[in-house]
Amino acid sequence: MTDRPFELVCEVEPPTRPDLKHVRHQIGTLSKIAHSFLIPDNHIGRATVSSVAVAHEVQAMGGSSIACLNSRDRNLLGFRRDLLTAAAYGVDQFLFIYGDKPGSGNRTSDLTVRSMIDEVRSLGEDPAFAQTPAFRVGTAAALRPLPAWKRAADFMFVQVSFSVEALLRWREANPVDVPVYAGVMVIASENHARRLAAAIPDIDIPADLVERVAADRLAGVEAACEQVLRIRDSGAFDGVHLIPVARYREVESRLSGAL
């Protein structure tokens, strides 16, 4: 059980074009329920506006942000560029991930999530960051035994699961002292479920949920919001990493009176 306040970290859909209007609308809508926002980094292998830039936009709108950075797309020099940019913008929280298979081009093998954490931890001795507050760094965890090196993170995001019981079993088997956020995703449509299953082989989407979504476009919203409340009531997690996809308006409407 955790004695920290329960937090809702809402993921926003970053733009694939040089236009921030839509992402600003997501931030403005979800700010009524979100404690902070997670900004993906070229998620699902597609190029998007920099997560650091969008995180800065969140902060300009009065919110708290976490910029996702993947090891797939950058070498050490590019990573240091991102850290310098973040420091200049006042963005100080990151989620480091490996990254999905890119839709174009290849992965770089210069960095791993572990080496990115080590690099950030060494910045205290770097004169370039002497006047910069320390960064907070998070990692992602799959529903399997937690590698020891991930315990060096400041917070942890557990992979999306549609089973509260599976999340609770993982939490009990992997005790950590840092804040841990359970992954919850809205299934927006039957096609969305198929795409997820094809892109993420180990994700287990209940067949009955897919059937309900096929019959009612809001069934995925209801299921995700119910899961958020069950996770909150369990007391086992510090919060939820919620991925509302295109249903962010409906999610806000459903949760605004429940949290």
Side-chain angles (χ1 to χ4, degrees):
M1 302 289 286
T2 177
D3 57 3
R4 288 180 283 259
F6 187 84
E7 296 183 347
L8 189 62
V9 182
C10 288
E11 183 170 315
V12 298
E13 187 80 7
T16 55
R17 298 179 180 181
D19 182 353
L20 296 177
K21 183 186 302 182
H22 181 59
V23 77
R24 289 186 184 122
H25 190 265
Q26 294 175 69
I27 296 163
T29 299
L30 291 168
S31 62
K32 301 166 189 174
I33 60 171
H35 294 83
S36 59
F37 293 90
L38 178 70
I39 319 302
D41 178 32
N42 292 347
H43 62 311
I44 318 180
R46 299 177 300 173
T48 63
V49 172
S50 163
S51 60
V52 174
V54 178
H56 176 57
E57 188 71 17
V58 170
Q59 295 183 176
M61 294 179 66
S64 174
S65 62
I66 303 170
C68 188
L69 295 179
N70 67 65
S71 64
R72 175 196 63 204
D73 298 339
R74 46 185 52 82
N75 57 20
L76 181 57
L77 183 62
F79 182 47
R80 288 186 60 85
R81 171 206 59 209
D82 292 329
L83 295 176
L84 286 167
T85 302
Y89 278 161
V91 174
D92 61 1
Q93 295 193 91
F94 298 103
L95 175 68
F96 292 160
I97 64 169
Y98 179 56
D100 299 309
K101 182 179 179 181
S104 60
N106 299 310
R107 297 182 184 274
T108 176
S109 59
D110 200 28
L111 294 173
T112 64
V113 172
R114 187 173 186 174
S115 68
M116 290 166 74
I117 294 175
D118 291 342
E119 181 68 19
V120 167
R121 297 302 190 221
S122 71
L123 294 180
E125 302 173 1
D126 189 327
F129 292 88
Q131 305 302 316
T132 302
F135 293 122
R136 294 185 72 244
V137 174
T139 60
L143 291 179
R144 46 181 177 262
L146 186 67
W149 63 267
K150 289 194 174 185
R151 297 176 181 274
D154 298 306
F155 57 92
M156 198 166 295
F157 281 26
V158 183
Q159 75 173 65
V160 167
S161 173
F162 295 89
S163 168
V164 174
E165 290 72 23
L167 288 165
L168 293 176
R169 287 194 297 271
W170 180 90
R171 189 71 178 96
E172 184 176 5
N174 296 274
V176 292
D177 294 330
V178 300
V180 181
Y181 302 89
V184 175
M185 178 183 283
V186 173
I187 296 298
S189 67
E190 190 175 6
N191 286 337
H192 180 217
R194 289 198 189 98
R195 290 195 302 271
L196 280 174
I200 311 172
D202 60 347
I203 197 168
D204 185 13
I205 306 173
D208 70 306
L209 174 58
V210 177
E211 291 174 3
R212 296 203 311 271
V213 170
D216 177 3
R217 65 187 295 273
L218 293 181
V221 172
E222 291 298 320
C225 292
E226 289 172 7
Q227 186 175 357
V228 169
L229 298 178
R230 286 186 64 197
I231 291 170
R232 180 199 62 181
D233 294 345
S234 76
F237 290 89
D238 298 276
V240 161
H241 162 217
L242 177 61
I243 308 172
V245 294
R247 300 286 187 259
Y248 62 94
R249 299 176 190 85
E250 294 86 350
V251 164
E252 185 280 326
S253 177
R254 172 69 175 78
L255 287 178
S256 59
L259 289 174

